Amino acid sequence: MERTLTQLPFWSSLTEQEQETLRRSAFVRHYEKGAFVHSSDNECLGRLFILSGEIRTYLLSEEGREVTLFRLYPGELCVLSASCVISQITFDTQMTAGIDTEVLIIPANIIAALKEKNLYVRCFLYELATKRFSDVMWAMQQIMFKGLDRRLAKFLFAEAERTGSDTIRMTHEQIAQHISSAREAVARMLKSFSEDGLVELKRGAITLRDENRLNRLK
């Protein structure tokens, strides 16, 4: 736990008493792939620090359509899971584990006390909230002003860069969730990419074949 806590961006700015409080209150939780992590409708979970895996944050419409806002990876903190601590965050979100995921959880009452007593923690949380708001605005811009072909090409490039592999191992449904589209539309667009020689499709995997043309498309 000590080694895990020292990974927190604000750990070195805490007093010895505050560090001890975290040692006694923080805990680790594991979520299997696809597991529900948190919703704004539920009780405030607390601050999540991603140790391994991936968490997808999204909006869910009354009709069941999902709009992905952003994804969090190891070493990143989730601000929306403790929205009760920052009252200015008012929109409803859902969170699920994209793959098997392990997180460090700092209970809401503890992070709230740290925010009130430690100026650095308070500034850090508001700065993080601002960054996540920027991520949300970027996602909305992509959905409203970019066509599916450009969004899909951009996602494939970003995923290949993140994983260091030309092969993206995802289903059409998973990709559709990430770029806020319908599975059928993604499948049609990938088929078009394949017919144009941009990608090669296999079950559960997409391999980039013509990165130059894909790059121009995005």
Side-chain angles (χ1 to χ4, degrees), residues 3 15 20 25 32 48 94 107 125 138 158 160 169 175 186 190:
R3 186 185 307 172
T15 65
E20 180 58 30
S25 59
E32 294 185 356
L48 301 184
Q94 316 287 323
L125 292 179
W138 183 88
R169 302 191 180 281
I175 294 174
V186 168
L190 284 172

Side-chain angles (χ1 to χ4, degrees), residues 164-180:
S165 171
D166 290 337
T167 298
I168 292 88
R169 302 191 180 281
M170 285 186 175
T171 65
H172 295 175
E173 179 67 29
Q174 289 171 320
I175 294 174
Q177 289 177 344
H178 287 308
I179 65 174
S180 303

Side-chain angles (χ1 to χ4, degrees), residues 27-52:
F27 59 96
V28 174
R29 180 175 293 174
H30 178 82
Y31 294 96
E32 294 185 356
K33 178 180 178 180
F36 178 79
V37 177
H38 181 66
S39 167
S40 300
D41 296 331
N42 297 118
E43 183 179 352
C44 193
L45 181 60
R47 179 73 60 220
L48 301 184
F49 181 67
I50 317 303
L51 300 175
S52 65

Side-chain angles (χ1 to χ4, degrees), residues 2-207:
E2 180 74 21
R3 186 185 307 172
T4 299
L5 287 170
T6 57
Q7 298 178 49
L8 292 170
F10 51 78
W11 177 257
S12 60
S13 300
L14 302 177
T15 65
E16 290 186 8
Q17 182 178 0
E18 289 169 339
Q19 290 180 352
E20 180 58 30
T21 298
L22 283 187
R23 290 188 189 97
R24 287 187 280 103
S25 59
F27 59 96
V28 174
R29 180 175 293 174
H30 178 82
Y31 294 96
E32 294 185 356
K33 178 180 178 180
F36 178 79
V37 177
H38 181 66
S39 167
S40 300
D41 296 331
N42 297 118
E43 183 179 352
C44 193
L45 181 60
R47 179 73 60 220
L48 301 184
F49 181 67
I50 317 303
L51 300 175
S52 65
E54 170 194 319
I55 287 181
R56 183 172 72 95
T57 302
Y58 59 97
L59 299 176
L60 183 64
S61 72
E62 293 182 357
E63 296 77 23
R65 183 188 175 191
E66 297 177 1
V67 176
T68 298
L69 301 177
F70 53 83
R71 291 183 288 171
L72 298 173
Y73 298 103
E76 295 187 304
L77 279 154
C78 183
V79 65
L80 298 181
S81 59
S83 56
C84 56
V85 178
I86 302 179
S87 58
Q88 289 83 351
I89 299 177
T90 57
F91 56 91
D92 296 333
T93 56
Q94 316 287 323
M95 298 176 196
T96 57
I99 58 178
D100 287 354
T101 299
E102 196 168 66
V103 300
L104 173 74
I105 299 179
I106 304 174
N109 63 316
I110 301 299
I111 200 69
L114 289 176
K115 182 175 75 76
E116 293 304 315
K117 296 178 181 178
N118 190 304
L119 180 61
Y120 182 88
V121 173
R122 187 184 316 158
C123 292
F124 175 82
L125 292 179
Y126 279 114
E127 182 179 332
L128 182 61
T130 301
K131 182 180 184 304
R132 294 296 170 235
F133 179 74
S134 178
D135 292 339
V136 171
M137 289 299 98
W138 183 88
M140 293 299 102
Q141 184 183 45
Q142 299 297 304
I143 294 169
M144 294 175 66
F145 303 121
K146 285 194 175 183
L148 177 59
D149 56 344
R150 296 177 64 189
R151 283 157 50 203
L152 180 57
K154 190 177 185 69
F155 174 80
L156 294 176
F157 256 97
E159 195 64 17
E161 182 177 335
R162 184 183 70 84
T163 60
S165 171
D166 290 337
T167 298
I168 292 88
R169 302 191 180 281
M170 285 186 175
T171 65
H172 295 175
E173 179 67 29
Q174 289 171 320
I175 294 174
Q177 289 177 344
H178 287 308
I179 65 174
S180 303
S181 182
R183 182 190 63 78
E184 295 79 8
V186 168
R188 287 194 297 269
M189 189 59 66
L190 284 172
K191 182 179 179 182
S192 176
F193 281 6
S194 176
E195 292 172 347
D196 290 340
L198 302 179
V199 301
E200 179 183 349
L201 302 180
K202 294 182 180 179
R203 186 175 181 83
I206 301 131
T207 301

